DNA sequence: CTGTTAGCGCTTTCAA
DNA sequence: TTGAAAGCGCTAACAG
């Protein structure tokens, strides 16, 4: 071994900036593969060897390079999380829970925000797949044919979320939006409302909730008197304007209840009602969706459908982890219905 | 070239599942590097060559492997985004804006949620750095010494956000929390309040806002009559309980205004006030922080400090992109104060 | 405008 | 329990 005294020149890794596994190996006096094992499967090595490596890691300031590791091992320890948007929405809890669950097992999250157009999702999926994630959590079940194909060809576990379908790509954690619509219909009909208006975003899942609502109403001989479809994203002013239009409609199209596709729109509608001196729910009832944390604290408290977003994130992540670890998964577990809760509060 | 007729066996890439650049090159009848160029620098190639490659990409179903690309080029096209949390918070807009801005330039976001403990941040930073991101956007300016060191050693552009300091690690986009506190003091003193209580989370930035508030009050000879520090995360029930304690305090510690470290806590405090028949702001004034989208729609509308989270995200991302593209950056631009707005609404 | 050569930093596979 | 050789899929650097 070359003498390495105080007078010697700075070692290579110090000059270059980034120490590699090889630098660590050299300093520790072992082979590179031993360093790799010390970091990834320490149980295979002697205490003594581990100590040598640990010291070398410290003295070199070595930081693992997972890019090289991923290429060599064909496992990236990366999970892609695809959502329409994260701003002002119900998905935040899902992201938090999924990230936490995955992090606990050493996986990191690659975030993809796809907007609400399937075309953008298509492009995003291609980019994301180029990172070779070990698994994917994707929002919704309606994707373009190309997206489905690519996802399938990637041959990695996929979890679709926040929706329900009999034909998932792979696994699924969510709930039925049609069922949500039907539950709203039942709850509101039960309270005596008969003149329904819908204030909705231009969003596929919202559309399916509306379809479920309309179907259940039709079954009872009740028809929707008015529908206003708004461009995403949901904002309160948007909800307020939409409600204003509904209130201004000719008398025979004026509702006694407004079903909104999100709490945010609903809160806007409540504001508009208040500004017109309309009492909620006596003059006009209002229902939201999402159970954002303020929903119970509006005046009157907002009726809404509560979704456990954190549970969805946690379960979706867990399904992936189980697959990674080759845990046996009965066919029934590939689809998990997390359900929802219809909360009738003061506004209906 | 070997004859490749209809009768021939399926090509290798079809058997293996994933086509590589080499497979594409073979099919296109060009060299691998030409395929690489066709994908990354098409302007260097002939229309004709591009067409051949495009056809081969299609027929092989090739999906770029950015893991290998990152290793070879030492550029990952990945930006790490580190936040305390994403659930129920003001950071959502920042994430959305940063992600959008970066995506437009072909960068993807690696999400890291660090919690509010610097120790967890430390571990997270190490993991994140092992992915060799091209840049980092990190929340806050108070990190452990080890974190700072590692960040510095990574020799990549760093943007700290949502805070202000004279000594950033590299670049900074944010605002001064001390200034926020001072502005709150000025605004509230101006409305005649003299008995201040603080309802705050155990969070470093909140603490600095409080410090700014207290300093400004002290200057005017006003002291804080009571402070209640709550464990993160902020929830409305937590705010409500905190407010209840403040209201139940002995008379001489009872406030005429409660300054909350977040809108969520403030909304809880308003609920507690209402439940006790206290009028806001006549009996008790309340101020929040964050300007969550419901703040203007509470009853009465919540006074708060508005932060443009989207601007922070967009600017932070832009600073990184400028660095990546070697855009000249005057020293002054390394620190950007995005400011804030004190909104006195009905609750004060 | 296109190709050749070499190698990024790690892990797999086999061998000792 | 440790090591040697080979190679993951791509791109930098240079050549033509």
């Amino acid at each position: 071994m070359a003498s390495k005294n105080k007078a010697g020149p700075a070692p290579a890794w110090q000059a270059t900036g980034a120490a590699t596994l090889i630098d660590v190996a050299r300093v520790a006096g072992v082979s590179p593969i031993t360093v790799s094992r010390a970091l990834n499967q320490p149980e295979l090595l002697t205490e003594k060897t581990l100590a040598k490596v640990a010291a070398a890691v410290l003295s070199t300031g070595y930081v693992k390079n997972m890019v090289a590791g991923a290429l060599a091992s064909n496992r990236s320890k990366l999970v892609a999380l695809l959502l329409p948007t994260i701003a002002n929405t119900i998905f935040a809890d899902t992201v938090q829970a999924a990230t936490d669950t995955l992090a606990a097992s050493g996986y990191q999250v690659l975030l993809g925000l796809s907007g609400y157009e399937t075309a953008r999702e298509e492009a995003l999926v291609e980019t994301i797949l180029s990172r070779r994630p070990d698994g994917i959590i994707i929002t919704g079940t309606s994707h373009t044919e190309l997206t489905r194909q690519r996802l399938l060809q990637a041959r990695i576990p996929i979890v679709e979320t926040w929706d329900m379908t009999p034909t998932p790509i792979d696994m699924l954690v969510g709930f039925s939006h049609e069922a949500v619509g039907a539950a709203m219909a039942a709850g509101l009909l039960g309270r005596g409302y008969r003149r329904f208006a819908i204030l909705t975003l231009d969003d596929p899942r919202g559309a399916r909730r509306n379809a479920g609502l309309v179907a259940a109403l039709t079954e009872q001989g009740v028809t929707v008197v008015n529908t206003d479809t708004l461009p995403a994203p949901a904002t309160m002013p948007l909800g307020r304007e939409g409600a204003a239009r509904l209130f201004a409609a000719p008398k025979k199209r004026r509702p006694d209840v407004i079903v909104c596709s999100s709490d945010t729109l609903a809160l806007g509608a409540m504001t508009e009602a208040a500004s017109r001196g309309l009492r909620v729910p006596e003059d006009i009832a209002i229902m939201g969706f999402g159970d954002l944390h303020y929903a119970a604290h509006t005046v009157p408290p907002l009726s809404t459908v509560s979704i456990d977003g954190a549970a969805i994130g946690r379960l979706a992540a867990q399904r992936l982890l189980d697959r990674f670890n080759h845990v046996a998964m009965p066919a029934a577990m590939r689809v998990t219905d997390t359900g929802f809760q219809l909360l009738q509060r003061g506004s209906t």
Side-chain angles (χ1 to χ4, degrees), chain A:
Chain A
M1 188 183 294
S3 84
K4 196 157 68 65
N5 295 338
K6 314 107 196 176
W13 50 264
Q14 204 164 330
T16 333
T20 72
L21 204 66
I22 300 189
D23 298 319
V24 177
R26 208 163 7 228
V27 171
V30 298
S31 75
I33 183 61
T34 298
V35 177
S36 172
R37 288 192 182 113
L39 267 30
N40 301 316
Q41 318 171 63
E43 67 278 8
L44 296 183
L45 302 184
T46 324
E47 287 290 331
K48 202 172 151 186
T49 313
L50 285 178
K52 277 194 294 186
V53 172
V57 165
L58 234 51
S59 82
T60 54
Y62 173 68
V63 177
K64 196 174 172 171
N65 185 334
M66 295 188 84
V67 177
L71 180 61
S73 68
N74 202 30
R75 286 180 309 106
S76 61
K77 285 263 179 181
L78 219 49
V79 166
L81 191 49
L82 304 191
L83 314 158
T85 166
I86 191 125
N88 289 345
T89 70
I90 46 184
F91 296 121
D93 283 339
T94 301
V95 175
Q96 180 80 40
T99 306
D100 288 349
T101 304
L102 291 167
S105 293
Y107 286 81
Q108 288 167 260
V109 166
L110 193 58
L111 187 66
L113 303 178
S114 60
Y116 279 99
E117 306 141 50
T118 49
R120 239 187 101 179
E121 182 186 86
E122 200 171 87
L124 184 63
V125 164
E126 165 141 45
T127 320
I128 291 278
L129 286 178
S130 74
R131 295 283 173 197
R132 297 295 188 268
D134 290 342
I136 296 191
I137 298 175
I138 187 169
T139 307
T141 55
S142 50
H143 318 288
T144 66
E145 190 48 39
L146 185 54
T147 299
R148 285 183 70 97
Q149 249 177 52
R150 280 180 178 150
L151 252 17
L152 242 15
Q153 280 182 359
R155 301 184 163 286
I156 55 177
I158 315 274
V159 185
E160 290 168 283
T161 60
W162 276 89
D163 209 337
M164 187 54 58
T165 170
T167 55
I169 299 179
D170 180 5
M171 295 177 285
L172 176 59
V173 176
F175 59 93
S176 162
H177 291 262
E178 283 86 354
V180 168
M184 284 175 162
L188 294 170
L189 288 171
R191 298 244 169 145
Y193 302 109
R194 288 297 178 270
R195 307 185 51 77
F196 285 71
I198 295 177
L199 199 58
T200 185
L201 285 190
D202 187 10
D203 144 57
R205 280 172 293 282
R208 307 242 309 283
R209 289 194 294 277
N210 296 336
L213 173 70
V214 170
L217 291 178
T218 303
E219 225 169 66
Q220 303 299 318
V222 174
T223 59
V224 172
V225 299
N226 209 342
T227 297
D228 200 339
T229 303
L230 308 163
T235 63
M236 284 181 192
L238 201 65
R240 189 163 176 184
E241 292 158 22
R245 278 192 293 276
L246 295 177
F247 293 145
K251 192 162 186 189
K252 61 176 199 176
R253 302 189 63 195
R254 230 165 291 158
D256 57 13
V257 57
I258 303 179
V259 178
C260 302
S261 77
S262 82
D263 285 355
T264 305
L265 293 182
L267 196 39
M270 296 221 327
T271 306
E272 180 60 25
S275 82
R276 289 174 179 247
L278 295 172
R279 291 164 307 159
V280 175
E282 293 82 358
D283 300 325
I284 181 73
I286 293 177
M287 168 153 286
F289 172 83
D291 198 24
L292 294 188
H293 65 310
Y294 56 74
H297 301 265
T298 58
V299 181
L302 185 62
S303 295
T304 188
V305 170
S306 177
I307 308 296
D308 190 344
I312 294 180
R314 187 163 21 80
L315 286 170
Q318 196 54 56
R319 293 289 176 275
L320 288 184
L321 293 173
D322 286 351
R323 274 289 186 78
F324 298 156
N325 298 326
H326 305 103
V327 173
M329 187 176 305
M333 270 186 68
R334 294 165 61 121
V335 173
T336 305
D337 191 332
T338 55
F340 58 87
Q341 263 193 293
L342 179 72
L343 303 176
Q344 302 246 54
R345 300 197 270 223
S347 75
T348 61

